[in-house]
Amino acid sequence: MLWIGAVLLLGFVAYGLSINFYIKAQKNLGAAKTSAYYSIAPFLGVIFGVVLLGERPAAQFYVGLVIMILATVLM
């Protein structure tokens, strides 16, 4: 029963609050700025994973990261 509560809480935070904040950001910032900020989320995840959690990705990860950065800049 504890797992069900934990899963519901995780879903509320990860999905529910995310959508709520995204809609509020679009209302206050506009669609273009919100999309620009939202596009850097994967890079923040990489920074948190590598710096805070000490993850050490393989070489192909860094190749993919460079491609993602270039694509984000071009967009």
Side-chain angles (χ1 to χ4, degrees):
M1 197 64 165
L2 180 61
W3 284 103
I4 293 173
V7 169
L8 288 172
L9 180 63
L10 177 64
F12 170 74
V13 172
Y15 187 73
L17 288 181
S18 175
I19 289 178
N20 181 43
F21 290 142
Y22 184 78
I23 299 296
K24 285 184 179 186
Q26 279 202 330
K27 179 181 174 187
N28 294 326
L29 296 175
K33 284 184 183 177
T34 302
S35 296
Y37 291 136
Y38 192 72
S39 70
I40 66 166
F43 302 109
L44 294 177
V46 168
I47 291 169
F48 291 145
V50 171
V51 174
L52 296 179
L53 300 177
E55 293 285 327
R56 296 295 171 237
Q60 65 265 32
F61 171 82
Y62 293 105
V63 172
L65 182 63
V66 169
I67 293 169
M68 284 177 55
I69 290 170
L70 291 173
T72 302
V73 170
L74 289 174
M75 293 306 277

